[in-house]
Each structure stands twice: as structure tokens, then as C-alpha cells.
Amino acid sequence: MNLHNASLTISAVNPKQYPSTGVPEVAFAGRSNVGKSSLINKLLNRNSLARTSSKPGKTATINFYNIDDRLNLVDLPGYGYAQVSKEEKKKWAGMIETYLNTREQLSQVILLVDARHKPTADDCTMAGYIRQVCDRMVVVATKCDKVKKSLLEQNLHTVITTLGLEGDDIIIPFSTVSGMGVEEFWYYVQDVLGVE
């Protein structure tokens, strides 16, 4: 798979706009500002393919990134951001739910959590939802570079126990600064999902 051959296919708000390609899809879910767009940029070694913002709640669409016509990475709107109107939150929740329930080529939903904090009630709700649509939980713990090395293991343990990870579940510590987790992510895609 040629990671340099990556592009934003479409920003969709309903199923009619989803790309018609039949390639497997890996979707990223997480709180607003957890680093989904930054993660996508780091995975693809691009600076601004996915638009990032210091303002939470920026991604208000489902963004499909095509990689070499082999795989789509899907950036879902963030949840749990207080400054967004109830109406907007409802709209985003509906958008996410529709995608998760109807997208046939969805191979995995990956939950992103901030390694600095204990997963929130919203994160636990999303984890429960992912368990209904996927065979295993895959969690990426972002912003690991912002956690003291002496505390990282403890924080990751908190993530594991709070979300109830066990058995085949996977946690990938990640940093967009150091590149920690990039190789592990692509190993997972190739080895577990079988996308070469």
C-alpha cells in the first residue's frame, strides 16, 4: 500500500454521499480535540491532509481518506464538546450512528482517548457501541508525549481497566510528536485486517 497516494475523497453528512468504493474502512471515533485529524496526518506522513484545529468540535462531517485505493481511513465527528448546541450534538450523534450501523465495508472502529486522562463516560459509551459492531476493541491512546514517562504505564493501565480491555483487544500508545505508535498501527492494519 502506497501511503503517499492518499487523498480526501469526500466530507459526507449522509449515506448518499459515502464513497462507492468497496475497500475496507477503518473509522476513528473519539472526543472533540482528542487528536483524530492529527493522527491521520501523522499516519500518512502529511502536514495538513486532515484539517486540524485548536478549537474542539471542528470536524462536523464524516471525512473519508482514500489510501492507494486499498483502504479508507474515516474521521468521525468528535463527541462530548460542551460549546456545541444540543441540536448540533444530536445531528452529529445521528451521523455517527448511521455510519456505524449501515456501512458494510467498515472493518474496525478505533477509539481514540487522551492518554493524560481517565476515559470519560462518553468514551465508555462509545466503547460499548464499538463492541456491538466490531469483533474487538482497538484503542489508540493519544498525546503520550505529554505524559511523564514514569506515569505513562499507569495511565495506560487506567485506560485498559476503565474501558474493560481484555483478550484480543488492542491498545496502541501514540504520539504525533515522536511517531510512537505509527508502526504498530500499520502492523495492525496489515496483520490483523489483512490490508497489504
Side-chain angles (χ1 to χ4, degrees), residues 171-183:
I171 184 166
I172 301 172
F174 200 91
S175 163
T176 54
V177 175
S178 69
M180 172 199 284
V182 172
E183 271 183 40

Side-chain angles (χ1 to χ4, degrees), residues 90-162:
K90 227 176 178 175
K91 197 170 86 181
W92 292 1
M95 223 188 286
I96 293 169
E97 217 167 297
T98 301
Y99 171 78
L100 295 181
N101 286 329
T102 62
R103 194 63 169 161
E104 281 182 26
Q105 60 264 51
L106 176 61
S107 296
Q108 181 68 48
V109 185
I110 294 180
L111 179 63
L112 271 66
V113 296
D114 188 328
R116 296 172 298 178
H117 311 294
K118 181 179 178 179
T120 64
D122 285 336
D123 292 327
C124 293
T125 300
M126 180 54 81
Y129 208 88
I130 292 170
R131 287 192 190 283
Q132 289 172 29
V133 294
C134 299
D135 292 336
R136 71 176 57 178
M137 275 294 297
V138 180
V139 176
V140 170
T142 62
K143 308 188 184 189
C144 283
D145 51 280
K146 296 183 177 178
V147 180
K148 283 183 185 169
K149 277 186 179 159
S150 57
L151 290 176
L152 185 57
E153 204 170 308
Q154 187 182 321
N155 285 25
L156 292 174
H157 182 70
T158 300
V159 170
I160 289 165
T161 52
T162 305

Side-chain angles (χ1 to χ4, degrees), residues 1-181:
M1 189 163 45
N2 179 4
L3 298 185
H4 298 294
N5 187 14
S7 60
L8 173 63
T9 310
I10 194 165
S11 297
V13 292
N14 64 55
K16 286 181 189 152
Q17 297 173 318
Y18 297 168
S20 55
T21 52
V23 299
E25 290 181 352
V26 172
F28 298 107
R31 285 174 61 77
S32 295
N33 225 22
V34 75
K36 292 187 296 297
S37 302
S38 299
L39 172 115
I40 288 169
N41 286 332
K42 189 68 182 178
L43 290 174
L44 299 174
N45 204 15
R46 295 293 241 319
N47 287 333
S48 54
L49 179 64
R51 279 172 304 199
T52 59
S53 170
S54 54
K55 269 189 170 174
K58 259 308 193 208
T59 305
T61 52
I62 297 177
N63 297 328
F64 292 81
Y65 298 90
N66 179 289
I67 300 155
D68 206 28
D69 291 329
R70 293 284 190 55
L71 176 74
N72 283 338
L73 295 183
V74 183
D75 188 5
L76 299 172
Y79 53 78
Y81 182 49
Q83 305 313 97
V84 174
S85 71
K86 269 188 182 161
E87 213 41 52
E88 194 72 3
K89 279 183 192 171
K90 227 176 178 175
K91 197 170 86 181
W92 292 1
M95 223 188 286
I96 293 169
E97 217 167 297
T98 301
Y99 171 78
L100 295 181
N101 286 329
T102 62
R103 194 63 169 161
E104 281 182 26
Q105 60 264 51
L106 176 61
S107 296
Q108 181 68 48
V109 185
I110 294 180
L111 179 63
L112 271 66
V113 296
D114 188 328
R116 296 172 298 178
H117 311 294
K118 181 179 178 179
T120 64
D122 285 336
D123 292 327
C124 293
T125 300
M126 180 54 81
Y129 208 88
I130 292 170
R131 287 192 190 283
Q132 289 172 29
V133 294
C134 299
D135 292 336
R136 71 176 57 178
M137 275 294 297
V138 180
V139 176
V140 170
T142 62
K143 308 188 184 189
C144 283
D145 51 280
K146 296 183 177 178
V147 180
K148 283 183 185 169
K149 277 186 179 159
S150 57
L151 290 176
L152 185 57
E153 204 170 308
Q154 187 182 321
N155 285 25
L156 292 174
H157 182 70
T158 300
V159 170
I160 289 165
T161 52
T162 305
L163 296 176
L165 302 187
E166 57 187 21
D168 284 342
D169 295 340
I170 295 169
I171 184 166
I172 301 172
F174 200 91
S175 163
T176 54
V177 175
S178 69
M180 172 199 284

